Amino acid sequence: MLTAVLAMAPAMAMAIAGDGDYARIARRFASEEKFDGVVLVGQGRRIEYVEAFGVADAEHGRAMSADTRFETGSISKWIAAIVVMKLVDEKKLSLDAPISTYLPDYRADTGAKLTLRRLMSHSSGLPNQVQDARKNDEAVKSAELPLREAVRRYASGDLAFAPGEQWDYSHSNWILVKAVVERASGRRYEELVERILIRPLRLKDSGVFAGDSAAVENGAVGYASLAPAAQRKVSPVPAYMAMTGGYYTSAGDLLKLMDGVLDGPVLSAESRETLMATLMPEQHYALGGRVRSQEIAGKSYVFADEYGSNGAYRVLAKRALRDGRTVIVMNNTSFDHLRIGKLADELQAALYP
């Protein structure tokens, strides 16, 4: 079955918006690099080019399509930050209030020091206990826990440094953010994503998952390799880690979301500016994601630069804040992120001839 699917994959590639420079760049890359996934170029909400390459599910002979759904890895943190900023707009949260304001049963010493702003910028000092646990025990990866117990086990450690002093990428931050958000709003995180993003923006291929994202309808299955035989690569995401890596979407939906958040009505102007303000300059890190400057054709542009990976999945989304020109690349076969970045750079250069 796999051989047949691979043989027909190029013919099943799906393209929208012609055969111009974007198609030429993406098709050459897919052919030379044996790339499986989806490539999209857009401006604002408008898709200028999208094409799917290879297989979404080798075992069942399902080819990739433009609306195939991918788990987004750490882009989920940016999604979570958007939800938080909406709750700030609604006066349900403050970025700078001690988290003990919302979680009075959290340990008092660190609860008085930690804030959402520091947790969401990875400058809190909270150690990455959950990642250490996942590395040391495979069973932890798929074990579900009540959120309160996950906070106790993995997000209650002694601070490694005073909040704001350093940058340390810690998934445990987002377990604690999830607890704050759900306590303050009185709603489950999945419900908030639905209310704040999916319904208003009319996203049809997006949501929050738990476990193996391959179970999502029309989801891309993750592979360590496809040849000589398909080899699955699974990295489950328990529900308590939904903010760290539990969001799935399609390329078209991700374009709509970026437009709605960065140039649309989802957030107030003040919250949008806060979301994209770099707090840790050496890491280009704002709240839940990165903002980078890049020179193209002799001019400097500032991009929302979002990248996520988990298991076999790789998703890159770059949007110019000045004019909304966007490149999205999605992959399900453990592809080298540096080569994905090279493809994005080529497509960006074509956006600014």
Side-chain angles (χ1 to χ4, degrees):
M1 175 65 76
L2 174 60
T3 302
V5 171
L6 291 176
M8 69 182 178
M12 296 184 71
M14 175 179 174
I16 294 174
D19 298 311
D21 287 345
Y22 310 137
R24 176 181 53 79
I25 292 168
R27 290 170 186 169
R28 184 187 69 239
F29 182 88
S31 175
E32 293 177 354
E33 301 281 356
K34 296 180 172 56
F35 172 81
D36 289 71
V38 177
V39 179
L40 180 147
V41 177
Q43 183 163 13
R45 295 176 60 94
R46 186 179 72 251
I47 295 175
E48 298 188 350
Y49 164 78
V50 62
E51 189 159 0
F53 301 92
V55 295
D57 184 343
E59 291 91 341
H60 295 93
R62 177 162 54 90
M64 198 72 70
S65 67
D67 60 356
T68 296
R69 300 166 176 180
F70 291 76
E71 67 171 90
T72 62
S74 286
I75 292 178
S76 303
K77 298 175 177 67
W78 193 58
I79 303 300
I82 295 164
V83 170
V84 169
M85 294 314 303
K86 184 65 172 182
L87 294 176
V88 170
D89 278 341
E90 296 172 350
K91 310 299 183 187
K92 294 177 181 176
L93 288 174
S94 167
L95 292 185
D96 297 313
I99 64 162
S100 55
T101 305
Y102 309 105
L103 302 175
D105 49 348
Y106 189 73
R107 57 180 289 183
D109 55 346
T110 52
K113 299 175 183 177
L114 293 172
T115 66
L116 287 171
R117 192 185 301 273
R118 288 304 166 194
L119 290 167
M120 294 195 299
S121 60
H122 293 285
S123 58
S124 68
L126 192 67
N128 200 0
Q129 290 176 295
V130 67
Q131 192 67 6
D132 292 342
R134 287 167 69 87
K135 287 180 180 178
N136 294 331
D137 185 353
E138 280 291 318
V140 172
K141 291 183 177 181
S142 56
E144 285 290 357
L145 289 173
L147 182 56
R148 184 169 181 170
E149 177 62 17
V151 169
R152 187 189 70 80
R153 291 191 192 185
Y154 305 131
S156 298
D158 295 336
L159 300 186
F161 52 83
E165 281 190 353
Q166 299 179 42
W167 188 84
D168 181 45
Y169 198 77
S170 172
H171 294 323
S172 293
N173 286 320
W174 296 90
I175 298 175
L176 197 50
V177 174
K178 188 173 190 283
V180 170
V181 164
E182 293 191 345
R183 181 76 66 89
S185 68
R187 293 287 185 268
R188 293 184 300 114
Y189 176 61
E190 301 93 311
E191 296 171 348
L192 293 169
V193 171
E194 180 78 20
R195 175 177 72 83
I196 292 169
L197 294 173
I198 292 176
R199 287 203 302 268
L201 297 176
R202 299 182 180 179
L203 306 180
K204 60 184 180 64
D205 294 308
S206 304
V208 176
F209 74 94
D212 182 359
S213 67
V216 171
E217 183 179 0
N218 197 34
V221 178
Y223 296 99
S225 63
L226 287 171
Q231 181 182 346
R232 286 290 318 277
K233 186 174 184 179
V234 181
S235 181
V237 180
Y240 65 82
M241 292 185 70
M243 284 187 172
T244 70
Y247 186 75
Y248 69 86
T249 193
S250 65
D253 268 11
L254 187 51
L255 180 70
K256 285 183 189 177
L257 182 139
M258 296 187 89
D259 184 69
V261 171
L262 298 176
D263 291 288
V266 172
L267 298 176
S268 68
E270 181 180 2
S271 284
R272 184 165 55 244
E273 183 178 348
T274 300
L275 175 72
M276 303 308 294
T278 303
L279 287 174
M280 309 304 289
E282 69 279 8
Q283 297 292 333
H284 311 283
Y285 210 84
L287 295 181
R290 287 183 164 86
V291 179
R292 298 181 193 268
S293 295
Q294 185 173 342
E295 188 171 295
I296 302 175
K299 294 183 179 180
S300 181
Y301 297 87
V302 179
F303 288 88
D305 189 350
E306 311 302 337
Y307 176 77
S309 67
N310 183 50
Y313 300 95
R314 311 283 186 265
V315 177
L316 174 66
K318 298 183 73 172
R319 182 184 181 92
L321 300 185
R322 178 191 301 181
D323 56 23
R325 300 189 194 193
T326 304
V327 172
I328 294 171
V329 183
M330 311 178 103
N331 167 259
N332 64 325
T333 58
S334 310
F335 207 80
D336 180 4
H337 72 280
L338 293 177
R339 287 188 286 166
I340 287 177
K342 180 182 176 183
L343 171 60
D345 287 344
E346 282 193 66
L347 291 168
Q348 281 180 318
L351 272 166
Y352 295 96

